[in-house]
């Protein structure tokens, strides 16, 4: 029978392992839900890819650089995913407005709309650091 400190090590290990499985499963399940097709037959990620492919020719080097600068506060592990999500939202706005090119205004609006509400505090700091006036976009926050 297990007794003493070895019992506590085993119990700690079981709780730790179950916690890690639960956390990993949560994030895998979220990704799975984003891949599920909606009523229109396309998933969130399919639409994101669609908007990116339709607007890739509208991006200039300066606009790509601005997007890279805006996503710098995002941890490096998640930066590529965040950049794709933001670029997808910018592409969606550009298609809706039939824009001839991606502008700073589109980038800032897409950045705000694609960012979760809990991160808007960091978003405002980043805009201020880049000397971009956030007043015209207050209604989006």
């Amino acid at each position: 029978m297990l007794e003493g400190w070895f019992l506590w090590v085993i119990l700690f290990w079981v709780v730790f392992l179950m916690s890690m499985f639960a956390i990993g499963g949560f994030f895998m399940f979220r990704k799975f839900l984003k891949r599920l097709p909606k009523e229109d037959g396309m998933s969130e990620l399919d639409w994101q890819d669609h908007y990116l492919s339709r607007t890739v020719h509208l991006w200039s080097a300066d606009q790509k650089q601005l997007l890279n600068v805006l996503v710098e506060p995002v941890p490096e592990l998640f930066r590529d995913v965040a950049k794709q999500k933001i670029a997808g939202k910018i592409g969606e706005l550009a298609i809706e407005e039939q824009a001839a090119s991606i502008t700073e205004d589109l980038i800032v609006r897409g950045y705000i709309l694609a960012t979760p509400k809990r991160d808007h505090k960091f978003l405002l700091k980043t805009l201020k650091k880049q000397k971009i006036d956030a007043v015209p976009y207050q209604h989006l926050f």
Side-chain angles (χ1 to χ4, degrees):
M1 208 60 170
L2 297 176
E3 293 181 18
W5 65 271
F6 190 68
L7 172 68
W8 291 107
V9 169
I10 296 296
L11 287 176
F12 171 76
W13 182 249
V14 167
V15 169
F16 174 76
L17 214 55
M18 295 301 286
S19 300
M20 291 297 111
F21 282 144
I23 291 169
F26 170 75
F27 286 107
M28 287 176 61
F29 188 67
R30 282 183 54 203
K31 187 72 166 186
F32 170 74
L33 287 178
K34 287 184 179 183
R35 269 289 167 209
L36 282 178
K38 306 293 184 214
E39 294 83 28
D40 59 3
M42 292 178 66
S43 69
E44 287 180 38
L45 296 177
D46 291 337
W47 277 113
Q48 179 180 304
D49 293 341
H50 170 74
Y51 293 131
L52 285 172
S53 66
R54 288 218 20 223
T55 59
V56 70
H57 66 282
L58 301 177
W59 288 84
S60 69
D62 292 337
Q63 304 310 334
K64 288 179 185 177
Q65 182 61 32
L66 177 60
L67 180 61
N68 286 331
V69 168
L70 290 176
V71 296
E72 276 181 9
V74 176
E76 192 172 341
L77 181 62
F78 307 112
R79 197 171 293 155
D80 288 335
V81 174
K83 191 171 15 173
Q84 272 191 315
K85 181 177 180 182
I86 294 168
K89 182 54 86 172
I90 294 167
E92 180 181 353
L93 292 173
I95 289 172
E96 285 175 3
E97 298 174 11
Q98 298 175 352
S101 67
I102 301 296
T103 62
E104 182 179 292
D105 177 60
L106 278 173
I107 292 174
V108 173
R109 284 190 294 137
Y111 182 53
I112 293 168
L113 293 174
T115 305
K117 296 275 188 212
R118 68 180 178 272
D119 295 337
H120 282 181
K121 176 176 63 173
F122 299 110
L123 185 145
L124 284 169
K125 286 181 188 177
T126 304
L127 290 176
K128 189 179 289 185
K129 191 161 84 171
Q130 294 303 314
K131 297 178 178 70
I132 297 173
D133 186 22
V135 173
Y137 309 105
Q138 284 298 78
H139 66 282
L140 298 174
F141 287 103

